[in-house]
Amino acid sequence: MSASSPSPQIIIVGAGPAGVRAAQTLVEAGLRPIVIDENRRAGGQIYRQPPPGFVRSKKELYGFEAAKAEALHSSFDQLRPSIDYRPDTLVWNCMPGHSGQLDLLHAQRHATLPYTHLILCSGALDRVMPFPGWTLPGVYTLGAAQVALKAQGCVLDGRVVIAGSGPLLYLLAYQYAKAGADIVAVLDTARFGGKLRALPTLLRQPVTFAKGLYFMGWLRAKGIPLLDGVEQIAASGQQTIQNLRWTRGGKTTEIACDALATGFGLRSETQLAELAGCRFVFDELNQQWLPQRDDAGRSSVPAVYLAGDGSGIAGADAAELSGRAAALALLQDLGLPTNAAAKTAAEQESRRLARTLRSNLQFRQGLETAFPTAVHWARNCADDLVICRCEEITAGQLRRSVQQEGTVEINRLKAMTRVGMGRCQGRVCGAAAAEILAHATGVSVAEAGRLRVQAPVKPIPVSAALAAEEQT
Amino acid sequence: MSKTTDKVIDTDVAIIGGGLMGTSAALELRRQQRSVVVLEQGWCGAQASGVNYGGVRRQGRAACQLPLSQRAHAIWRRLEQTIGSDGEYIASGHLKLARSDADMQELIAYRDMAAAYGLELELLEAETLRRRYPWIGEQARGASLCAEDGHANPRLIAAAFARAAEQAGARLLQQSAVEEFGFDGNYFVLQNSRGERVRSRFLLNCSGAWGKEIAERFGETVSEQAIYPNMCVTEPLPPLMNLSLGVVGGAFYARQVERGNVVLGGGRGIGNLALDATRPRASSSFKALAALTGMVPALRNALVIRTWSGVEGETPDHQPVIGPSATTPGLLHAFGFSGAGFQLAPAVGEVLAELVTKGESSTPIDAFSIKRFAIQQASKQESKV
């Protein structure tokens, strides 16, 4: 499409750091994008705003990141009159083609929306690695524990253990402790040795690195036990979690607790990119199939762009940059700006953004060394461990399908066992299932294949379909 | 580009297509001591055989299909002995609903016709229907019940047939698309994408929506087009529907599985003949949901968790192609089941085995001959002259 064509209908999905900066860039170029967001207020997960009526200071909510949160929120507030903003709206399907179309759900009603250009900023979700007791009430993901704090201003009640790996571990512990939570232990499944090895790359972003060290120092000063190299965590209890057990250096410890927040890094939410027809490649760094994108965020499908954590985890700062980069690429593809000097400036900025994003990626590689995903998890998990909580499928059932039915591919595993066939459609359990399959068949996770996505991305009520059908 | 190897696999029967037709034929042929190689382009049972609705239904089939369907029914009743798995098969009953008096008349006429084939159907007036099945809504004006029809889980059934065939000694070559076809007057020689060559006296074309392409390799023209049935499934719900549902006119078909999910079909998705290239359509799903909840109002409050489609071959008269090729001795067809092959499959396997071992089928299959397309072609040609 060229600048002289009928006006493009540009849809940005997601109003987190990537989506907001993409929208801002398009508005600056005189365009009026549609911004669809599943949340009721802009900011995404990291800069999530409390519901209207809750009053908490940005400093309380976002700590070190308060200034960035403030900047993003105020940018978005300024954009509001210049965009078509659709909050509280789920994009549950994308039908690509010459006349691309999104299926939406808002206020229990269905709607469709055509697009000429799409910028997907679909964000991320906690990486879940099942362990004994992970489905007990009182066990939360780190992300969910943080949402409770940011959106509702509350913390998990009683004695809280925070366990897992990744930078969010210490951040959440810090935020929770500051908010008055009773943290009885912070358990890191990574080893300090790994962190030292990663030091040279981590120092590429000294500020981020320093924040991590600050959180750890602060927590120690408050007398909160921080343990690294923790293995084999297991929750137990009657109705809810009551105890948490782990081993460290060959020694088993068990403590009483009332809640557990746990997470092992993040996973990109890639469903819409897949439904949009994007080509996927297995990404070793993320240990996940990701939609292919160039430096600027162009996907393999013309007019579909990718930005933020939804196409590879890189964090909030990178998301803001990649949102802008994707919007600049889109403008360039539209033949904008037309003015030669402005065009050169835009091209220069695109190159600068690409360089910064690449350097950021190296930092991310450093983080992966410091907080490696527990690759040996699949080997150790017991046969009776539930992997797919929606369909109640255990690791043993998955292994039996491999042994008795000769299953070697993840979609066949789904067909044979129902793993990933429930309400979450594999968003939560898909990675763990692929790791079990890969381990049981002796291949890499990449070779185990990619779990195909079907609409809806999240469940939709039949009543919404009926209302839509009455309108036609 | 495939690499050629010198290795030739000799077998009595080669089967193209590892779906239900191909693997049920393979299983039966092994029982009759024939050596069998199945060539499957993807995974056995991963296409229409594994992703269809799962209706095990005789009611509603055309008269010409009923003998074959009755034969299949007898096999379904002893399925577990046949394939070592029940595949969630349940003879729940199949209820075909009427929405008008005209629909009821159609059901009455069908019942009278089916009786001649030994298929007993019970007609239920509106009042009886609702007394017996209180979850059925006001829209239903009556129904026809086939008490011994039912449903099964196609994912499990298709895989179980493939496994049973393999355990019986059939050789399954998966991820193995046939790239070259040869026939020297006596033997077929196929070469697959892995460079393996298979030589056989008989060749079975059990290729579903791809059946037409295979037939064309042997100079046979078939009117078959790809169709993409549209499917959805709800979250697990408390037990509600204790039988499989259909409706006159076919706006929807639905069943509740053991786990509690309601599986619903109706309308068409979109796609092409590449593997895994089908998509459901929201508009089709919505229409089917509206038709279903018109008949089962309690489902209005459910959540839909997944939609999907698959590819099937449909012929102009909606009848499959089953039987010997008109051009090539030793070539047998079984494809184009037009969205209704699941229940028939075990009987089709037996018929194909009979054709290989005895040269004839003990169940009438004349209506399914590939020759009917040649005749259509010829009459078209004539009318042009």
Side-chain angles (χ1 to χ4, degrees):
Chain A
M1 183 176 291
S2 73
S4 59
S5 302
S7 63
Q9 171 127 311
I10 305 169
I11 301 182
I12 298 169
V13 181
V20 171
R21 292 304 173 209
Q24 185 183 15
T25 307
L26 296 176
V27 167
E28 283 166 9
L31 298 169
R32 186 182 170 84
I34 299 170
V35 178
I36 305 175
D37 192 30
E38 200 177 347
N39 287 329
R40 288 165 68 187
R41 301 185 69 188
Q45 299 295 354
I46 181 146
Y47 305 132
R48 176 185 285 274
Q49 302 190 67
F54 281 67
V55 185
R56 294 185 73 211
S57 76
K58 303 265 189 211
K59 186 72 199 165
E60 271 181 302
L61 279 165
Y62 312 110
F64 282 128
E65 317 299 330
K68 286 179 193 165
E70 175 62 42
L72 195 84
H73 294 154
S74 71
S75 290
F76 190 76
D77 290 341
Q78 284 163 31
L79 285 176
R80 283 288 295 275
S82 314
I83 62 171
D84 178 352
Y85 176 45
R86 317 268 184 108
D88 199 16
T89 301
L90 169 72
V91 181
W92 63 266
N93 190 18
C94 174
M95 287 295 260
H98 291 300
S99 50
Q101 183 179 295
L102 299 181
D103 287 306
L104 314 177
L105 184 71
H106 169 66
Q108 301 286 297
R109 306 280 291 189
H110 168 79
T112 61
L113 201 56
Y115 65 84
T116 59
H117 297 73
L118 200 54
I119 304 182
L120 295 175
C121 310
S122 43
L125 175 83
D126 289 89
R127 179 186 285 266
V128 172
M129 263 195 290
F131 53 85
W134 74 286
T135 58
L136 276 173
V139 179
Y140 295 78
T141 61
L142 295 178
Q146 203 181 33
V147 166
L149 183 61
K150 285 183 198 168
Q152 301 291 334
C154 57
V155 295
L156 304 183
D157 198 24
R159 295 157 297 178
V160 181
V161 177
I162 297 179
S165 68
L168 190 55
L169 190 72
Y170 296 103
L171 172 63
L172 182 78
Y174 170 77
Q175 289 171 328
Y176 257 50
K178 284 205 84 161
D182 177 14
I183 300 175
V184 290
V186 179
L187 309 177
D188 192 338
T189 56
R191 281 175 198 285
F192 189 67
K195 294 191 183 70
L196 284 181
R197 270 198 304 282
L199 203 54
T201 34
L202 290 178
L203 288 173
R204 282 174 198 275
Q205 293 202 358
V207 177
T208 311
F209 184 64
K211 272 186 289 197
L213 290 178
Y214 174 83
F215 295 145
M216 293 170 76
W218 190 93
L219 290 162
R220 274 203 194 91
K222 295 283 176 226
I224 295 169
L226 307 185
L227 303 174
D228 73 343
V230 168
E231 294 174 320
Q232 295 171 41
I233 60 168
S236 60
Q238 292 300 317
Q239 298 296 317
T240 66
I241 182 172
Q242 290 170 313
N243 292 289
L244 189 74
R245 199 182 62 235
W246 68 87
T247 62
R248 182 169 183 260
K251 186 170 148 271
T252 301
T253 309
E254 182 159 0
I255 58 168
C257 63
D258 304 297
L260 168 67
T262 180
F264 300 86
L266 299 173
R267 285 179 61 78
S268 298
E269 288 270 68
T270 60
Q271 296 84 4
L272 283 174
E274 181 170 344
L275 292 169
C278 296
R279 188 185 310 126
F280 275 63
V281 285
F282 190 81
D283 186 271
E284 292 293 337
L285 177 60
N286 289 279
Q287 282 293 298
Q288 185 186 358
W289 289 89
L290 292 176
Q292 243 178 5
R293 68 177 194 190
D294 71 5
D295 274 349
R298 290 181 185 88
S299 77
S300 63
V301 177
V304 176
Y305 305 82
L306 306 160
D309 278 354
S311 49
I313 305 300
D317 295 352
E320 289 194 47
L321 300 178
S322 69
R324 180 156 178 86
L328 287 172
L330 189 158
L331 290 169
Q332 193 180 51
D333 296 345
L334 283 174
L336 295 172
T338 46
N339 167 305
K343 193 173 172 208
T344 309
E347 281 165 6
Q348 279 169 352
E349 188 186 354
S350 291
R351 278 195 294 275
R352 213 162 48 238
L353 285 169
R355 264 199 309 277
T356 313
L357 286 167
R358 270 198 298 272
S359 139
N360 189 287
L361 192 67
Q362 280 163 347
F363 175 70
R364 173 75 211 293
Q365 273 155 350
L367 273 185
E368 282 300 318
T369 317
F371 301 96
T373 313
V375 283
H376 302 303
W377 163 85
R379 183 188 312 150
N380 293 331
C381 86
D383 274 347
D384 64 356
L385 182 66
V386 169
I387 302 298
C388 168
R389 69 190 301 175
C390 302
E391 295 293 312
E392 297 168 279
I393 309 299
T394 63
Q397 283 170 280
L398 302 182
R399 290 173 180 145
R400 267 196 298 285
S401 179
V402 171
Q403 285 150 13
Q404 293 170 11
E405 297 159 338
T407 310
V408 296
E409 196 268 341
I410 187 72
N411 294 288
R412 293 309 291 157
L413 189 68
K414 175 180 167 186
M416 302 306 298
T417 65
R418 293 203 319 270
V419 70
M421 267 199 183
R423 287 182 182 87
C424 94
Q425 287 293 298
R427 290 170 60 237
V428 173
C429 61
E435 281 159 20
I436 299 261
L437 174 63
H439 179 255
T441 52
V443 301
S444 68
V445 177
E447 287 167 308
R450 175 167 59 98
L451 194 62
R452 275 192 299 276
V453 166
Q454 304 279 11
V457 169
K458 290 179 185 171
I460 54 165
V462 170
S463 55
L466 299 180
E469 193 49 28
E470 277 160 23
Q471 287 163 13
T472 57
Chain B
M1 204 48 208
S2 65
K3 54 197 179 300
T4 310
T5 62
D6 294 332
K7 198 174 135 204
V8 176
I9 305 167
D10 273 301
T11 185
D12 294 329
V13 185
I15 301 176
I16 304 180
L20 270 174
M21 303 300 165
T23 55
S24 66
L27 178 60
E28 190 56 29
L29 284 161
R30 284 303 303 144
R31 290 220 175 92
Q32 311 210 22
Q33 322 300 325
R34 297 303 194 277
S35 56
V36 181
V37 174
V38 177
L39 296 109
E40 164 56 45
Q41 60 176 334
W43 299 106
C44 285
Q47 299 301 314
S49 297
V51 303
N52 71 85
Y53 166 66
V56 184
R57 167 188 63 80
R58 293 164 293 167
Q59 170 162 240
R61 290 180 186 276
C64 63
Q65 281 193 19
L66 285 176
L68 193 61
S69 187
Q70 291 286 45
R71 183 172 179 176
H73 181 67
I75 309 170
W76 279 99
R77 298 297 282 169
R78 53 182 159 78
L79 188 76
E80 197 153 359
Q81 292 106 282
T82 311
I83 58 170
S85 156
D86 74 348
E88 295 176 10
Y89 166 62
I90 172 171
S92 59
H94 174 261
L95 202 57
K96 190 159 185 178
L97 298 160
R99 280 178 291 196
S100 66
D101 293 343
D103 286 357
M104 269 315 266
Q105 290 307 313
E106 203 178 311
L107 292 177
I108 291 167
Y110 186 84
R111 176 197 60 189
D112 296 346
M113 181 279 286
Y117 295 90
L119 181 62
E120 275 182 44
L121 302 173
E122 184 188 358
L123 283 177
L124 308 174
E125 295 297 331
E127 201 182 313
T128 320
L129 178 67
R130 257 181 296 281
R131 202 170 49 241
R132 218 186 274 183
Y133 309 108
W135 44 272
I136 291 179
E138 298 294 317
Q139 262 191 30
R141 303 290 292 273
S144 169
L145 173 68
C146 184
E148 277 203 4
D149 278 356
H151 55 95
N153 186 331
R155 289 184 284 112
L156 304 181
I157 294 285
F161 265 97
R163 205 159 51 246
E166 187 168 40
Q167 280 165 2
R171 187 158 173 193
L172 306 184
L173 301 178
Q174 303 188 88
Q175 305 290 306
S176 163
V178 178
E179 292 185 337
E180 283 171 39
F181 300 76
F183 180 62
D184 65 5
N186 283 308
Y187 287 92
F188 295 90
V189 178
L190 307 175
Q191 185 171 310
N192 70 11
S193 48
R194 305 197 303 216
E196 293 158 324
R197 282 186 290 165
V198 177
R199 181 165 55 205
S200 65
R201 178 65 192 87
F202 289 92
L203 176 62
L204 272 50
N205 173 15
C206 302
S207 317
W210 294 268
K212 172 186 169 170
E213 288 178 12
I214 308 293
E216 277 168 1
R217 298 280 184 163
F218 297 93
E220 293 188 272
T221 311
V222 182
S223 305
E224 185 193 30
Q225 64 160 347
I227 57 167
Y228 311 95
N230 198 88
M231 306 295 306
C232 352
V233 63
T234 69
E235 65 192 321
L237 302 167
L240 175 72
M241 296 164 43
N242 45 7
L243 34 60
S244 185
L245 284 191
V247 60
V248 176
F252 79 89
Y253 36 99
R255 64 189 183 99
Q256 187 169 23
V257 305
E258 202 180 308
R259 174 91 184 144
N261 313 67
V262 173
V263 178
L264 166 69
R268 297 275 186 260
I270 54 172
N272 61 57
L273 280 179
L275 285 184
D276 306 320
T278 63
R279 291 283 300 261
R281 264 186 2 191
S283 57
S284 298
S285 302
F286 289 0
K287 278 197 176 62
L289 285 164
L292 169 68
T293 50
M295 290 294 187
V296 190
L299 296 174
R300 296 183 70 90
N301 301 314
L303 290 174
V304 174
I305 61 172
R306 183 172 68 258
T307 61
W308 73 96
S309 186
V311 57
E312 300 198 4
E314 185 180 69
T315 62
D317 58 10
H318 302 281
Q319 301 308 321
V321 179
I322 307 174
S325 153
T327 61
T328 313
L331 174 62
L332 301 169
H333 299 295
F335 66 91
F337 284 82
S338 305
F342 186 63
Q343 190 267 350
L344 297 178
V348 173
E350 287 190 357
V351 163
L352 291 169
E354 284 177 347
L355 290 171
V356 167
T357 58
K358 302 192 184 95
E360 59 182 11
S361 163
S362 59
T363 304
I365 54 167
D366 291 348
F368 314 127
S369 169
I370 197 165
K371 288 176 187 155
R372 70 187 196 272
F373 297 101
I375 293 163
Q376 281 168 9
Q377 288 291 110
S379 61
K380 264 189 218 163
Q381 296 289 329
E382 275 168 33
S383 64
K384 274 182 199 162
V385 178

